[in-house]
Structure formats: C-alpha cells, structure tokens
Amino acid sequence: LLKVLSHIDSILQSPRAPPSIFRPSKGSVQNYIKENGQRCGFEHLPLAIEMWADQLVALKDLHRSLKKLSLELLPWNTKDPQDNRESIRVEDLQLIVDGILEELEHKEKNSQTQSLQTLSAMVSHFQKLFDVNSLNGVYPRMNEVYTKLGEMTNAMRNLHELLELDSSAPPTVVVDTVGKLCDIINKNVTEQVQQLLGTQDIHSIINKLEEHECFFPPFQALIQDLLCLLEISNVDDILPTVQNLK
C-alpha cells in the first residue's frame, strides 16, 4: 500500500500535474508516520483523488453536451467511435470541437461566396433597371435616383395636403383626384363662356365668334378714321366733338 501511495504521490507532485492538486497538510491532522517519524505527505491524496473522480464525471457530462451541440450543427455526422468507450479522454472532446470549428469555418466561407454572388446580381439588376452601362456609372445613377425619389416624395406629400387626402393614399388616388378637379375646372370655364356669350350651344358660340370677327375690323378702321379726322386721341371724345360740330 505504501508503495502504491508513494507512486500516486509522485504523480501528484509531477510537473505535469495541475499546481492546485498537491497541497501539503496543515494543522494538527494525524498523518501517516514513516519509520523515521517524518510526515509521508499522503494525507492530501483522498482529496485529490476525489477531485479527479469529480472531473472524470464532469468530463463525461461535457462530452455529452458537445455531442448534442455537434448533432445540432452537424446533423449528418452521426458517426462517433467513442460512444462505446467507458472512459472519455480530452482528445475525444478536442476532436469534436475541431470538427465543429472546421464546419463553421466552411459555412462562413460559403456564406461569403454567396454574399459576393448576391451583391453582383443586385448590381447587375440595378444596371438593367436604370440603364447603367458601366460600374463607374452605378453610384452617380444611384444619387440621381435618390434625388428624383426625394423630389417625387415631396411633391406627393404636397399634393396629399392640397387635395386633403390621407397620407396613405396611393398615387393612383392622387391622379384620379387631380383628374376630377380638372374636369370640374373645365366645366366651370365652359359654363362661364356660355353665360358670357349668352348661348348654351357650341355652334352658336362659333357663329357669334365669326360674326364678331367680321364686324370688329371695319368698326376699328372707322374709329381710327374718326380719331384722325377729328384730331382727337380718345374714343370717349368722339361723341362730344361731333355734337360741337353741329
């Protein structure tokens, strides 16, 4: 037994052992006494072995958790040569972690490649939509589109306010409302012209305009002659001047 304890004690004091494992006993604890009466240092072995036993159990729990994580990330990888092994080694856990990291790096590279392909497709689609022949023209056209969009948005906002429409009304509603407003204005103008000319018939309006076109040129010429003959410049003075001549 003493030989076994000595061997374990040498392992615990080995440079490969964690520094917190070997701690000499303190206080008035009854120690194992060698034949020369000195302490043998074995009193810390039960605590160290107990700690190791706990770590081995925790190692199995960690292995189980890593396996669950591996199944979540790598569902197609169901092969595990360590499933039937009673003792779990750190190398086994490291193997699982390395497999997960390798797969994640592979996915990241694939996602970057897909992102580049997606961006290239988006740029090509923008060039087709807005008739851009080169990549150098993409940014200027983007700025132009942004500016035009801002102007259109402001114009639509103003039209919504002027026409007293809800801000959520689509452009088609705005166009229909403007069209109805134009129809109302044109109808009012037509009615005003009809009232002014004293007729409701468009043909009568045309005839009256033709009559006025025939009458006004000779009348204007007569008035100009009278102004020159009477040596006056104001039309309102024609009648008083003629009366004075009588």
Side-chain angles (χ1 to χ4, degrees), residues 119-135 137-146:
L119 290 175
S120 177
M122 291 174 63
V123 172
S124 299
H125 188 60
F126 180 88
Q127 288 181 269
K128 291 179 181 179
L129 287 177
F130 298 99
D131 194 22
V132 183
N133 297 325
S134 64
L135 291 177
V138 170
Y139 281 109
R141 186 56 59 87
M142 281 185 175
N143 294 332
E144 181 181 352
V145 170
Y146 178 79

Side-chain angles (χ1 to χ4, degrees), residues 23-242:
R23 293 190 301 271
S25 62
K26 296 181 181 180
S28 58
V29 179
Q30 183 66 33
N31 299 327
Y32 291 97
I33 306 299
K34 293 183 179 180
E35 291 181 356
N36 58 6
Q38 295 180 349
R39 290 187 306 170
C40 66
F42 297 144
E43 65 276 3
H44 67 283
L45 292 182
L47 295 177
I49 294 174
E50 183 180 355
M51 183 187 69
W52 281 1
D54 293 338
Q55 292 298 314
L56 289 175
V57 174
L59 202 62
K60 292 181 179 181
D61 294 338
L62 180 59
H63 179 265
R64 221 172 4 252
S65 299
L66 286 176
K67 283 302 298 177
K68 290 182 180 179
L69 179 61
S70 177
L71 289 175
E72 289 290 334
L73 298 177
L74 315 173
W76 57 87
N77 186 12
T78 58
K79 184 178 180 181
D80 184 11
Q82 310 299 334
D83 283 344
N84 298 326
R85 179 180 292 181
E86 294 183 0
S87 61
I88 304 299
R89 301 178 302 175
V90 176
E91 291 83 350
D92 302 332
L93 305 182
Q94 187 65 44
L95 183 63
I96 297 176
V97 173
D98 290 342
I100 294 174
L101 292 176
E102 183 179 355
E103 182 63 25
L104 291 178
E105 291 176 359
H106 182 67
K107 284 185 177 180
E108 184 178 359
K109 290 181 181 179
N110 288 340
S111 63
Q112 291 177 354
T113 303
Q114 292 176 359
S115 298
L116 291 176
Q117 293 176 350
T118 302
L119 290 175
S120 177
M122 291 174 63
V123 172
S124 299
H125 188 60
F126 180 88
Q127 288 181 269
K128 291 179 181 179
L129 287 177
F130 298 99
D131 194 22
V132 183
N133 297 325
S134 64
L135 291 177
N136 294 332
V138 170
Y139 281 109
R141 186 56 59 87
M142 281 185 175
N143 294 332
E144 181 181 352
V145 170
Y146 178 79
T147 302
K148 295 295 184 182
L149 178 62
E151 293 176 355
M152 185 190 71
T153 302
N154 291 333
M156 292 299 295
R157 185 185 302 112
N158 293 334
L159 286 174
H160 279 93
E161 294 178 357
L162 290 174
L163 299 175
E164 297 181 354
L165 295 175
D166 188 81
S167 59
S168 60
T172 54
V173 175
V174 176
V175 173
D176 292 340
T177 305
V178 172
K180 293 177 181 178
L181 184 61
C182 291
D183 291 340
I184 293 174
I185 293 174
N186 292 333
K187 183 178 180 180
N188 290 337
V189 170
T190 302
E191 291 178 353
Q192 291 176 2
V193 172
Q194 290 175 349
Q195 292 176 0
L196 177 64
L197 298 178
T199 179
Q200 302 295 323
D201 186 5
I202 187 65
H203 295 290
S204 299
I205 295 175
I206 295 174
N207 293 333
K208 285 184 176 292
L209 289 175
E210 290 176 351
E211 292 176 0
H212 284 284
E213 186 177 358
C214 294
F215 170 77
F216 274 104
F219 179 77
Q220 184 178 12
L222 176 63
I223 295 298
Q224 291 295 332
D225 292 341
L226 286 175
L227 291 175
C228 292
L229 181 64
L230 299 174
E231 297 180 351
I232 56 178
S233 59
N234 195 347
V235 177
D236 294 335
D237 295 336
I238 292 177
L239 184 59
T241 304
V242 172

